Amino acid sequence: MCSIAEDDFGDDGAAHGMKEDTPQPELAANELCRKCNTELAVLKLNLKEPQCRSCFLNYVRHKFRASLGSTKIVRRGSRVLIIFTGGPENVTLLDMIRFGLEQDSFKQLRIVPVLLYMDDEFVNRADELRMQRLAKRINVLKQFSNFPSYYTVCGSSKYVEVTFEEEFSPTGFEEDEKRLIHVLEAVRSVSSKQDLLEQVHKQTYRSIAKALNCNYVFLSDIGIDLAKTLLSNVALGRGCSLAQDVAFCDDRDNAVKLIRPIRDLNPDEISNYLQYSEAQLLHLPLAKHFDDKPSLQNLTAKFIDNLQQSFPSTVSTVFRTGDKLDAPKVVQKTAPASASVDGTDFLALFDKKFTLKEQPTVAEYCRFCGAALDYRGSKTLFATEYSRLVSSRINAACSHEDILQKSKQMEQDAERAVNGEDDDERRELLKHLCHGCRNIFEDINE
């Protein structure tokens, strides 16, 4: 049982009852590696024995290979689409994949890697700055030029092959860029903008993976990233897909599975890997869009970052909570809106091009993100909608009889709103969306 009594909770929220992680003793001079007992140790991770460079690299690479081997999800010889971002975690993942492919036949990593650089710099950056950042990303990508590499933009289903012989300047994506910018500009809150952009990222990954005949997509999320995702998605109302958003494998789309093979790594292991790897690895810091503005995601990220500084062990506990959650299973599952007739138009729900005539029946999954629909009979959503109606329709001037009469009507209206049973066709679309995507949909200006 918890050792903190009720009297311990005061104005400081029982912060005095939490103890920061004890700093680990620094590495002694000329200390041997506790693994091989032959080489001098060069680092000492938190709660780990001193390690030499070779043992440390083997340790980190083993965690990566063990995550793939223990799950047995990725089949031998499969084509894998690896998302390139140029960040420290991403470069670490790519280097471990390259190292695995260079091993002998017994230890060789048996996959066929295909790299994809998805550009979203056009969202809120000038063209000149965007081209500068593109040139830097391509320079980092050159380190892995032995892998086939492709380029696309966020929200597009088209792609081009990346060439390293001359300056890379892609064209033909202008319409896709304008369309996504138009949708983002119509969204009012920053939280919804970031959530929409994140969902479009995933839909773009799946769309390009299908076009390139890849059944798996490797993402470079680590533990602290998943801790931020878990808490952010709770605040955004994405509880029905929470387990899949932080799991090793997101299999809501049977055709393309999103894999997070380095989710067990932490920031210290990433930074030390880049420092002690056999070859110097170029990488660039990642800056997410709208990270300088107030939003639920930015507030959660700041909280987790502060937690990582003082209580790093707690961050691992946060994201591992997602492993204990079960994702709702969809009994009958067909292609979601992200894989519509042409397989590309996953923004149709948000730029008013999607109509109910395309699929009159209500599916059991969200037409945008693919999560299971769980709004029917939801007491939580009903209470939220009923509270909103009370705030807008009841005031001090209403008599007792008026309140009683309006309360019955508000109950019916709240139930209809939750189930998407309004006569308005735009509101009727809510039947096809989960609660998280509904929040984005309702946050769009008319």
Side-chain angles (χ1 to χ4, degrees):
M1 296 179 64
C2 181
S3 60
I4 301 178
E6 293 183 1
D7 294 339
D8 292 331
F9 289 90
D11 295 335
D12 59 354
H16 62 280
M18 300 179 64
K19 296 181 180 180
E20 296 189 8
D21 289 0
T22 304
Q24 297 296 307
E26 295 184 0
L27 191 66
N30 300 324
E31 188 171 358
L32 290 178
C33 171
R34 300 292 179 86
K35 183 71 174 178
C36 63
N37 291 319
T38 55
E39 299 291 335
L40 289 178
V42 296
L43 79 160
K44 184 179 187 304
L45 297 174
N46 187 33
L47 302 178
K48 297 291 182 181
E49 298 291 345
Q51 294 175 302
C52 64
R53 183 176 70 81
S54 178
C55 290
F56 166 72
L57 293 177
N58 290 335
Y59 161 73
V60 177
R61 288 164 178 163
H62 175 73
K63 291 180 72 172
F64 161 67
R65 296 294 298 271
S67 65
L68 293 176
S70 61
T71 55
K72 298 181 180 179
I73 294 176
V74 181
R75 297 182 179 180
R76 297 178 62 178
S78 299
R79 285 175 58 86
V80 177
L81 185 68
I82 305 170
I83 305 303
F84 171 80
T85 63
E89 300 85 359
N90 185 245
V91 172
T92 299
L93 171 62
L94 291 173
D95 186 69
M96 288 192 291
I97 292 175
R98 179 172 59 184
F99 180 84
L101 293 173
E102 295 173 351
Q103 298 303 294
D104 55 31
S105 59
F106 180 71
K107 297 182 179 180
Q108 188 177 34
L109 181 63
R110 301 185 181 278
I111 62 173
V112 181
V114 179
L115 304 190
L116 174 68
Y117 173 39
M118 189 194 67
D119 188 6
D120 61 357
E121 299 289 343
F122 63 89
V123 172
N124 59 357
R125 291 183 175 89
D127 291 340
E128 183 178 355
L129 178 60
R130 176 192 175 187
M131 296 309 298
Q132 293 176 359
R133 296 174 69 91
L134 174 61
K136 293 180 180 179
R137 291 280 188 270
I138 296 299
N139 188 40
V140 175
L141 184 58
K142 284 182 180 179
Q143 300 174 110
F144 310 99
S145 57
N146 54 326
F147 298 154
S149 304
Y150 297 90
Y151 171 92
T152 188
V153 299
C154 185
S156 176
S157 60
K158 298 177 292 185
Y159 60 90
V160 295
E161 188 172 0
V162 178
T163 57
F164 300 103
E165 290 77 13
E166 54 188 17
E167 184 178 357
F168 182 69
S169 180
T171 58
F173 298 95
E174 292 78 12
E175 292 299 324
D176 296 319
E177 295 173 5
K178 290 180 181 179
R179 186 183 184 194
L180 180 58
I181 292 176
H182 175 72
V183 173
L184 287 173
E185 289 177 346
V187 180
R188 291 188 290 267
S189 70
V190 179
S191 298
S192 295
K193 288 178 186 288
Q194 290 179 310
D195 191 19
L196 175 61
L197 199 58
E198 178 65 23
Q199 299 305 320
V200 174
H201 279 185
K202 294 180 180 179
Q203 302 296 1
T204 306
Y205 299 157
R206 294 186 175 102
S207 176
I208 301 299
K210 292 175 183 177
L212 293 173
N213 297 319
C214 297
N215 296 324
Y216 307 96
V217 176
F218 276 12
L219 305 178
S220 51
D221 297 331
I222 61 174
I224 188 172
D225 300 322
L226 299 180
K228 296 175 182 178
T229 299
L230 188 145
L231 294 185
S232 297
N233 285 5
V234 170
L236 293 171
R238 294 193 172 275
C240 60
S241 62
L242 194 60
Q244 295 167 321
D245 290 330
V246 299
F248 173 82
C249 175
D250 184 346
D251 59 352
R252 71 186 75 183
D253 188 339
N254 292 326
V256 178
K257 295 180 172 62
L258 304 183
I259 308 296
R260 304 176 180 92
I262 58 172
R263 65 193 294 265
D264 293 328
L265 300 186
N266 58 51
D268 287 341
E269 292 170 340
I270 295 294
S271 60
N272 283 299
Y273 186 94
L274 295 173
Q275 180 180 354
Y276 296 109
S277 60
E278 291 86 354
Q280 183 179 3
L281 298 174
L282 299 178
H283 60 88
L284 296 172
L286 289 181
K288 293 189 176 181
H289 295 289
F290 313 109
D291 58 353
D292 58 337
K293 298 181 180 179
S295 70
L296 291 173
Q297 294 92 325
N298 294 341
L299 184 62
T300 302
K302 184 178 180 181
F303 168 73
I304 293 295
D305 288 335
N306 293 336
L307 198 64
Q308 177 68 23
Q309 297 297 324
S310 302
F311 310 97
S313 301
T314 307
V315 175
S316 175
T317 304
V318 172
F319 96 86
R320 297 229 175 257
T321 304
D323 296 338
K324 303 177 182 179
L325 303 176
D326 291 329
K329 298 297 182 181
V330 179
V331 178
Q332 297 178 349
K333 188 171 183 179
T334 56
S338 57
S340 55
V341 177
D342 58 359
T344 62
D345 202 9
F346 42 79
L347 280 176
L349 283 163
F350 298 97
D351 63 2
K352 302 178 181 179
K353 292 183 180 179
F354 176 78
T355 60
L356 293 175
K357 296 179 182 179
E358 298 179 18
Q359 184 174 339
T361 59
V362 180
E364 297 182 6
Y365 56 87
C366 177
R367 292 293 302 273
F368 185 59
C369 71
L373 295 182
D374 58 353
Y375 60 80
R376 286 199 174 275
S378 174
K379 296 181 180 180
T380 303
L381 296 181
F382 174 80
T384 302
E385 183 64 23
Y386 184 80
S387 177
R388 186 187 67 82
L389 294 177
V390 170
S391 301
S392 61
R393 298 182 185 182
I394 303 298
N395 52 56
C398 295
S399 63
H400 180 67
E401 290 76 11
D402 292 339
I403 294 177
L404 291 177
Q405 184 177 3
K406 289 183 178 181
S407 63
K408 297 180 180 179
Q409 184 62 39
M410 287 188 295
E411 289 181 4
Q412 298 177 0
D413 293 344
E415 185 175 357
R416 289 171 58 86
V418 169
N419 296 330
E421 297 175 350
D422 292 348
D423 297 331
D424 183 15
E425 184 177 9
R426 185 175 184 274
R427 299 285 301 177
E428 186 77 8
L429 287 173
L430 297 181
K431 284 184 177 180
H432 301 265
L433 300 177
C434 65
H435 180 60
C437 293
R438 281 187 181 190
N439 291 336
I440 302 176
F441 190 80
E442 293 181 334
D443 207 17
I444 294 179
N445 292 318
E446 294 287 348

